[in-house]
Amino acid sequence: MAMSSKNDFVFQVRRCQPELVAPAKPTPYVFKQLSDIDDQQGFRFQVPMIFFYPHNPGADGRDPVDVIRKALAETLVFYYPFAGRLREGPGRKLFVECTGEGVLFIEADADATLEQFGDAIYPPFACLEDVLYNVPDSDGIIDCPLCLFQVTRLKCGGFILAIRLNHTMADAFGMFQFMNAVAEIARGSVAPSILPVWQRALLNARDPPTITHNHHEYDQVVDTKGIVVPLKDMSHRSAIFRPSDISAIRKTLPTHLHCCSSFDLITACLWRTRTKALQPDPNEEMRLLCAVNLRTKSKSLPLGYYGNAFSCPAALATAGELCMNPLGYAVELVRKAKNEGTEEYMKSVADLMVIKGRPNVTAVRSLAVSDVRKARMDEVDFGWGNAIFGGPAMGGAATVPGLTSFYMRFKNNKGEEGIVVPFSLPAPAMERFVLELEDLFKMIPTNQAKNSHTCQKQT
């Protein structure tokens, strides 16, 4: 296995004072309720996202800070709820007071070049706190700005755009829609090509609410062994799976599973390897939460809907079953869980939120995975072309530290593509995870795949 610490270099960032960017024109002062999917406890956190743009001679004379700041103000005329503030009503119900106050914006410069990041850019990023400054008292869920933008110019003429966005307002597809709207206006459009649609009542609980499915992702499990570790005490790395790796692993499966998706395969591989690394008691129950996007399953949501529209059906197995059975066992469980994420399942989740008081997802012995490749984050173009990398800035950021891993598109400067998966584990478990992943690839009888994946380290 190749190890890399290419993102660990140190560079200085000079930041201007944070400012509020308000909508460019007056916007309605109204109160907008979030859906019963949006305001569940498990979505009440800030998602860090990051985009790297190279120098583009065609954009010389344009300052990315000015371009993005101006486009953001104009986009907020359409997406004016983002310029408001969340409030909490009875029953922990969240709503936006559309005050028009604006979003946080930071202008910055760094004495670094994109070349210093190496031949491939992907998480984790040691520089994240520098290029996405946590403005004091800004990162709460209630009564705080709903997003923060920092544009950092680089010495090479490129720039880094880092964003922090309140997850209750949008999922990955909604975030892309908002970011793409900013990019379109930055390139000269007078309005987004897809206009935003609120209509959050479409994903509210029914009357009366009726839970029609088992929702093991919300089981309340007691943490008797101190398994949940603060994010600051975690080790962060990324695994990269190239097409040759995925093909080689797939050949080890029974014939009837050769048609399984790369998502099913990688998820099963990571869940099983992670379980071995955590060394739980063989009889303890392990959970895998699969984010399933309703937009791909149903036509019930209008084009332009940017709220949270996914559920997280869970696969369950004991640690012993996961570790002792072949990989195909885990693949079957992943596929079964993913197929449960229907429109009816989503309605049942909304009903559960109302009946049970918006519980958090199960934290103990759980892994959540979200495939955001189809959100096409790297295609957000402000006039400098596509991003070299665009997407979530780290794995593990959630209401439960270390819970979530994102699957993102990856390409190095040779044009080689793959899937990058950032994740977080307590440091001792991370060392065992790396060894387990090495062992998996040693067992694959394909020279092409052996050691061709990467695990990048940042502790």
Side-chain angles (χ1 to χ4, degrees), residues 385-434:
N386 286 359
I388 296 173
F389 173 86
M394 64 186 296
T399 51
V400 180
L403 177 71
T404 309
S405 283
F406 300 100
Y407 295 10
M408 296 177 280
R409 300 196 296 189
F410 156 84
K411 184 187 285 186
N412 64 18
N413 60 11
K414 298 173 188 167
E416 296 168 334
E417 297 185 350
I419 299 170
V420 60
V421 186
F423 56 94
S424 306
L425 279 170
M430 181 64 83
E431 297 305 321
R432 292 192 293 267
F433 180 92
V434 172

Side-chain angles (χ1 to χ4, degrees), residues 50 259 313 433:
I50 195 164
C259 61
F433 180 92

Side-chain angles (χ1 to χ4, degrees), residues 53 62 67-68 159 161 179 182-183 186-187 380-385:
Y53 292 93
R62 301 179 79 212
V67 169
I68 293 173
F159 65 95
L161 169 63
M179 293 302 302
V182 178
R187 298 198 310 271
V380 174
D381 175 8
F382 297 95
W384 281 261

